[in-house]
């Protein structure tokens, strides 16, 4: 249970401590005193949205601290320990909201994301407020109440349906896209085939464009190249140039080597120089031989040059369309061929999807049948429970049924439409609870739903009710208090109420009081007992200070204890 809540600088509350106990605790006070702020504080502590507007005027931040006592192994305690919390002396939760909107959370003395508080809240507290009555005006809320009440079996059936429904929707979308784009895909495939045919006709080879460019340059300058090579060969070999014998480099190097050789034996230095001259002679001989070979192959071939230029022109046509180079053209061709194969296989894909769609439709039918069956079974039990609860709330003649009807269309949560219906008495036609119930009756129906579903919907140890008794009065209000007290025998129950008939059933009675100090308004919380409690009940009855109101308050307390 929650042992204590400390609030500082929240709305009109300057600082307050709420000591909470087992059983039923009620929170009362004048309108505007800050009762709802207590529920807001609890919401912050359990991961609710933080708003800078909640910070008390002139304060830097709002701080809410709670101490929770949990048995070993409780789901909330396990989650807190996973977050690094110290739980040795109970679980301490802290939430702060700064005036600039920044929010922080601490769990068991360790900083934690606010989301961890929200996760803990699922295992700690169920909060029900006046807004829950308005939830029943939405059809989806009726279904959600039933699905939550249905337990693990219904939850598993709903999850199975959702999975197959989602998968079927994805297949339908893909199939529709394939069918719609069939003509566009055909055009794309035809365009790609034309490109592949162009490439196949030319049959380019990797790196061919660069090789042809080099060959074109060589063939285009053949005369110039022959003249250069021939002149160099003559210089090296010493062949005649038509003007007489010209000594060549080879002959000169041979003469130099011979002259050095005659005297080299007498000087090692000269011998080394002779060796270097010989190396030059051998190298010059090799170059002369290579130049001779080059001249032999460097014939001018106009026909070959024409072939090269024609081939280059064909490759240029391809590179202009499919890439800056031949290698890029070949890469485009490989990608295009793969894409054509994919497009040609679309028909097969459509056939596969159609078969899969039929199989999924059959599976969805089966899942829907199981889900509908479990919803109808749960609806029968829930309707009986709510009716039984209403008998304890001065609505013994009323009957509640939970209608589960086929909507005729497939939805994300099934085909069924769920509606909680109320027949106010024998012979009356059941109608939607929001239309059949008056304001006071709607509050009691909502309370009956909450109590009827409390053990099935959640296993939390604490329930908080924020003025769910709005619109209720007289004998019905006494019954509401008695029903909350009955619930409090099995769980910790905290109720914010304005009805003395409800407050009289409390095990602990806390009062929120507002004080005004000049221009500053403050609220405080304190527990009332004995005559102080009688006085608070008398105030709530509208007769503060009168003997009749005090007697009425004592009578309410006596009947509640009885």
């Amino acid at each position: 249970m929650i042992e204590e809540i400390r609030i500082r600088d929240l709305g009109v509350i300057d600082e307050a401590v709420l000591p909470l106990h087992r059983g039923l605790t009620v929170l009362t006070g004048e309108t505007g005193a800050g009762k709802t702020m207590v529920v807001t504080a609890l919401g912050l502590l359990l991961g609710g949205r933080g708003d800078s507007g909640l910070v008390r005027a002139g304060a830097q931040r709002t701080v809410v601290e709670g101490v929770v006592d949990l048995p070993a192994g409780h789901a909330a305690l396990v989650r807190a320990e996973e977050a690094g919390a110290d739980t040795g002396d109970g679980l301490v939760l802290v939430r702060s909201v700064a005036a600039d909107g920044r929010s922080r959370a601490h769990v068991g003395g360790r900083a934690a994301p606010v989301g961890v508080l929200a996760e803990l809240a699922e295992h700690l507290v169920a909060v029900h407020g006046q807004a829950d009555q308005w939830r029943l005006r939405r059809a989806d809320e009726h279904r959600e109440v039933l699905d939550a009440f249905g337990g693990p079996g219904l939850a598993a059936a709903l999850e199975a349906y959702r999975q197959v429904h989602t998968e079927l929707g994805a297949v339908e979308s893909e199939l529709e896209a394939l069918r719609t784009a069939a003509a566009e895909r055909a055009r794309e495939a035809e365009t790609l085939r034309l490109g592949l045919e162009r490439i196949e006709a030319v049959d380019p080879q990797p790196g061919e464009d660069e090789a042809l460019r080099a060959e074109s340059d060589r063939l285009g300058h053949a005369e110039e190249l022959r003249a250069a090579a021939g002149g160099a060969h003559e210089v090296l070999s010493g062949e005649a140039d038509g003007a007489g014998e010209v000594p060549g480099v080879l002959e000169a190097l041979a003469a130099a080597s011979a002259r050095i050789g005659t005297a080299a034996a007498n000087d090692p230095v000269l011998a080394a120089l002779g060796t270097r001259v010989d190396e030059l002679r051998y190298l010059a001989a090799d170059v002369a031989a290579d130049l001779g070979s080059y001249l032999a192959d460097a014939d001018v071939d106009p026909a070959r040059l024409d072939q090269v230029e024609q081939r280059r022109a064909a490759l240029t046509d391809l590179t202009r369309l499919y890439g800056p180079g031949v290698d890029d053209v070949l890469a485009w061709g490989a990608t295009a061929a793969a894409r054509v194969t994919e497009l040609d296989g679309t028909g097969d894909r459509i056939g596969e999807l159609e078969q899969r769609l039929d199989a999924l439709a059959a599976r969805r039918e089966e899942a829907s049948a199981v889900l509908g069956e479990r919803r109808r079974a749960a609806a029968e039990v829930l309707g009986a429970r709510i009716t039984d609860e209403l008998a304890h709330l001065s609505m013994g003649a009323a009957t509640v049924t939970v209608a589960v009807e086929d909507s005729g269309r497939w939805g994300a949560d099934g085909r069924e439409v769920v509606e909680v219906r109320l027949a106010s008495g024998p012979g009356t036609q059941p109608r939607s609870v929001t239309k059949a119930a008056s304001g006071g009756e709607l509050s009691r129906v909502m309370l009956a739903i909450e109590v009827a579903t409390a053990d099935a919907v959640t296993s939390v140890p604490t329930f908080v009710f924020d003025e769910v008794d709005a619109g209720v009065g007289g004998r019905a209000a006494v019954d509401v208090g008695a029903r909350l007290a009955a619930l409090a025998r099995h769980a910790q129950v905290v109720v914010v109420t304005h009805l003395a008939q409800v407050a009289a059933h409390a095990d602990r009675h806390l009062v929120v009081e507002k004080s005004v100090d000049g221009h500053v308004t403050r609220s405080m919380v304190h527990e009332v007992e004995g005559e102080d409690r009688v006085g608070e009940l008398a105030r709530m009855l509208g007769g503060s200070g009168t003997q009749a109101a005090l007697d009425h308050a004592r009578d309410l307390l006596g009947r509640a204890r009885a």
Side-chain angles (χ1 to χ4, degrees):
M1 69 171 188
I2 301 176
E3 293 183 330
E4 182 180 88
I5 298 177
R6 292 178 176 270
I7 307 170
R8 187 171 74 245
D9 294 326
L10 174 63
V12 296
I13 299 178
D14 181 13
E15 187 168 0
V17 179
L18 278 71
L20 301 179
H21 307 272
R22 299 187 185 279
L24 176 60
T25 299
V26 297
L27 198 65
T28 66
E30 294 280 3
T31 300
K35 299 188 299 297
T36 301
M37 283 291 103
V38 174
V39 179
T40 301
L42 186 59
L44 287 175
L45 196 62
L46 299 175
R49 180 176 177 272
D51 188 343
S52 60
L54 298 174
V55 181
R56 179 176 171 80
Q60 293 183 342
R61 61 177 50 83
T62 287
V63 180
V64 183
E65 179 180 338
V67 180
V68 185
D69 180 27
L70 296 170
H74 190 278
L77 205 59
V78 172
R79 180 64 186 93
E81 290 171 350
E82 290 175 353
D86 180 3
T87 59
D89 296 324
L91 180 59
V92 179
L93 308 178
V94 181
R95 176 76 179 280
S96 64
V97 179
D100 60 5
R102 288 182 297 176
S103 178
R104 293 182 179 177
H106 289 78
V107 178
R110 297 289 184 88
V114 175
V116 174
L117 294 179
E119 293 176 20
L120 296 177
E122 296 178 3
H123 307 291
L124 291 177
V125 178
V127 179
H128 301 283
Q130 296 181 58
D132 291 329
Q133 299 177 14
W134 295 98
R135 286 193 308 136
L136 289 180
R137 301 188 185 279
R138 293 179 51 233
D140 287 347
E141 293 290 347
H142 294 226
R143 178 188 52 74
E144 290 176 8
V145 168
L146 175 63
D147 288 349
F149 176 79
L154 198 157
L158 177 58
E159 180 60 26
Y161 171 86
R162 283 173 173 169
Q163 287 181 356
V164 69
H165 178 76
T166 301
E167 188 176 356
L168 190 147
V171 172
E172 285 179 334
S173 298
E174 184 179 355
L175 190 57
E176 179 64 21
L178 288 176
R179 288 169 174 167
T180 301
E184 182 179 344
R185 288 194 305 275
R187 288 192 295 271
E188 181 184 357
E190 183 61 25
T191 300
L192 293 174
R193 286 193 183 92
L194 288 174
L196 291 172
E197 290 173 2
R198 290 193 185 99
I199 295 173
E200 184 178 358
V202 176
D203 191 23
Q205 300 302 311
E208 184 181 4
D209 52 344
E210 295 299 328
L212 289 174
R213 181 181 296 110
E215 187 176 0
S216 175
D217 289 342
R218 182 171 59 82
L219 291 173
H221 299 81
E223 292 293 346
E224 181 182 349
L225 295 173
R226 280 182 59 82
H233 185 268
E234 290 176 359
V235 170
L236 290 174
S237 63
E239 294 181 356
D241 63 351
E245 295 294 329
V246 177
V249 171
L250 289 174
E251 183 179 349
L253 288 173
S257 176
R259 291 183 179 183
I260 293 174
T262 58
N266 299 316
D267 187 357
V269 175
L270 183 60
L273 291 172
T275 300
R276 293 171 63 185
V277 169
D278 289 340
E279 290 175 354
L280 287 174
R281 184 159 56 91
Y282 300 145
L283 181 59
D286 288 342
V287 172
D290 290 342
L291 285 171
S293 298
Y294 179 84
L295 287 169
D297 296 335
D299 295 333
V300 178
D301 186 357
R304 175 56 185 166
L305 179 59
D306 185 56
Q307 291 175 358
V308 169
E309 293 304 326
Q310 289 180 5
R311 182 65 177 172
R312 292 186 67 193
L315 294 178
T316 300
D317 289 340
L318 291 181
T319 56
R320 185 168 56 249
L321 293 172
Y322 307 114
V326 167
D327 290 347
D328 300 294
V329 172
L330 293 173
W332 182 92
T335 303
R339 177 60 176 162
V340 168
T341 301
E342 178 184 345
L343 293 172
D344 289 342
T346 299
D348 297 336
R349 178 60 177 166
I350 289 177
E352 293 174 3
L353 289 176
E354 288 175 340
Q355 292 180 358
R356 188 178 172 194
L357 192 67
D358 292 339
L360 288 172
R363 285 176 52 197
R364 184 171 65 175
E365 286 280 2
E366 296 173 1
S368 177
V370 172
L371 177 59
E373 181 180 350
R374 293 188 179 177
R375 275 177 171 162
R376 285 185 287 272
E380 186 175 350
V381 177
L382 179 57
R385 283 200 184 184
I386 298 173
T387 299
D388 182 62
E389 289 297 330
L390 288 179
H392 297 285
L393 296 171
S394 296
M395 292 181 66
T399 302
V400 169
T401 56
V402 181
V404 179
E405 299 175 347
D406 192 335
S407 67
R409 61 181 181 82
W410 298 106
D413 299 302
R415 292 173 60 95
E416 292 78 27
V417 173
V418 178
E419 185 176 59
V420 179
R421 295 174 179 173
L422 173 69
S424 57
T428 59
Q429 189 69 22
R431 294 189 299 158
S432 176
V433 65
T434 55
K435 297 178 181 178
S438 64
E441 288 176 332
L442 188 59
S443 296
R444 281 179 281 173
V445 171
M446 191 65 223
L447 179 58
I449 292 174
E450 291 162 347
V451 175
T453 59
D455 59 342
V457 172
T458 179
S459 58
V460 298
T462 300
F463 295 87
V464 178
F465 295 92
D466 182 16
E467 296 191 9
V468 293
D469 50 14
V472 177
R475 176 62 190 173
V478 175
D479 292 336
V480 169
R483 207 68 203 121
L484 289 169
L487 178 62
R489 297 192 190 107
H490 309 287
Q492 182 184 39
V493 179
V494 180
V495 179
V496 177
T497 183
H498 64 285
L499 294 179
Q501 295 92 328
V502 173
H505 288 82
D507 299 303
R508 296 287 189 279
H509 190 153
L510 304 179
V511 178
V512 181
E513 289 187 345
K514 180 171 63 175
S515 62
V516 179
D517 181 11
H519 297 289
V520 179
T521 302
R522 291 183 174 87
S523 291
M524 57 175 291
V525 181
H526 63 93
E527 183 177 353
V528 291
E529 297 178 318
E531 287 302 308
D532 290 336
R533 186 179 181 190
V534 171
E536 172 62 11
L537 293 177
R539 181 200 64 77
M540 298 173 70
L541 290 167
S544 180
T546 66
Q547 189 60 43
L550 293 171
D551 291 342
H552 190 183
R554 292 189 183 95
D555 180 60
L556 283 177
L557 284 172
R559 283 190 287 159
R561 294 192 182 100

